[in-house]
Amino acid sequence: MNTARNVLVIGGTRGLGRASSLRLARSGARVLANFVRDRVAAEGLEAEAKASNLDIVTLRADVSIASGLETLCGRIEADYTPLHAMVFAAATGVHKLLSEATARHFDFTFQLNVKAYFELVQRLGPHFATGAGGEGASIVAFSSAGARRASPTYGLVGASKAALESLTRHLALELGPKGIRANIIAPGIVATDVWKVLPNAQVRLQAARERSAAGRLVTTEEVAEVVHFLCSEASSGINGAT
């Protein structure tokens, strides 16, 4: 990536988003790392960026609500256009049996995982770089195996990820002629902070290690390499893929 490129990473200060922010910044991009609550994580990323002479700006905004989305998009429009990539690494969800889930749980899960993504692309679409041959912009979002495979208590999150994948394929179809690509990464199980609040986390992580051909889990840094690839000209022929 070239130095002048602007990259927005939603959920960019923790987990997969943090690793993506650092990898993209190391490639020379100006990274706009969005976060909501964890100021300590944001300050830690800022400190690491400063120590490594990386161009990372943290932007606080809750994109799941109208005012937060407006705040973030207004800042991007004022100071950081054109936008050359958007990485959607934010996610939330309620882990319950569908028979126990409520409409409020459904709305909470889909509001961030699907609707915020849709609204960000709509609002920022006119500010994405355009052009053929990889010179345009790239949209990357994260999905999970639950989008295609049923798992206990994962119904709402899995359904939201399936919707995210379908939405991304349709975005790829509509935006592709403008030179804007949209793709999904489904990295499998990665040991991030999110596992601290999930049931039977250590048992499930160990089972995933044992199923893996490599005998280990994929790291956040390895996933970030795929993010970098999909945000670069090297992947100019990949669009609408998971």
Side-chain angles (χ1 to χ4, degrees):
M1 299 188 113
N2 299 321
T3 303
R5 292 200 164 194
N6 296 309
V7 177
L8 173 62
V9 183
I10 304 297
T13 63
R14 296 175 57 188
L16 292 173
R18 185 182 193 277
S20 299
S21 292
L22 288 168
R23 179 62 184 89
L24 292 165
R26 290 190 183 109
S27 73
R30 177 192 292 117
V31 174
L32 316 166
N34 159 255
F35 73 103
V36 181
R37 284 178 294 274
D38 196 340
R39 168 49 72 180
V40 173
E43 290 175 348
L45 178 61
E46 291 169 353
E48 183 168 351
K50 183 177 181 181
S52 301
N53 197 31
L54 301 176
D55 192 353
I56 298 179
V57 179
T58 59
L59 302 174
R60 187 172 191 171
D62 184 353
V63 297
S64 70
I65 61 176
S67 60
L69 192 136
E70 176 64 32
T71 295
L72 179 66
C73 291
R75 182 74 184 278
I76 299 297
E77 290 166 343
D79 299 323
Y80 302 110
T81 58
L83 195 61
H84 294 86
M86 184 184 84
V87 180
F88 192 81
T92 192
V94 178
H95 291 259
K96 282 183 174 293
L97 296 174
L98 291 176
S99 59
E100 299 174 354
T102 66
R104 182 173 63 85
H105 294 143
F106 182 96
D107 291 343
F108 174 76
T109 303
F110 275 73
Q111 184 69 32
L112 177 63
N113 295 359
V114 184
K115 188 179 179 185
Y117 173 71
F118 168 70
E119 291 181 327
L120 281 165
V121 175
Q122 268 206 330
R123 174 66 183 270
L124 294 174
H127 304 290
F128 282 127
T130 57
E135 297 175 358
S138 177
I139 300 166
V140 179
F142 287 104
S143 185
S144 70
R148 297 166 300 283
R149 186 173 68 241
S151 180
T153 74
Y154 201 72
L156 289 181
V157 182
S160 72
K161 291 298 187 178
L164 181 73
E165 289 192 12
S166 179
L167 184 60
T168 299
R169 287 191 291 272
H170 286 86
L171 286 172
L173 179 67
E174 292 188 21
L175 299 177
K178 299 178 181 179
I180 302 170
R181 297 178 294 113
N183 292 290
I184 290 283
I185 297 174
I189 292 178
V190 185
T192 62
D193 287 348
V194 70
W195 283 92
K196 294 178 180 178
V197 299
L198 297 181
N200 302 317
Q202 293 308 312
V203 173
R204 294 164 69 183
L205 289 172
Q206 183 57 32
R209 291 187 188 96
E210 293 172 356
R211 289 195 304 269
S212 169
R216 65 173 181 84
L217 300 179
V218 172
T219 67
T220 56
E221 290 76 17
E222 288 171 324
V223 177
E225 290 293 340
V226 183
V227 173
H228 174 256
F229 170 69
L230 288 176
C231 289
S232 74
E233 292 87 346
S235 63
S236 61
I238 302 175
N239 194 21
T242 297

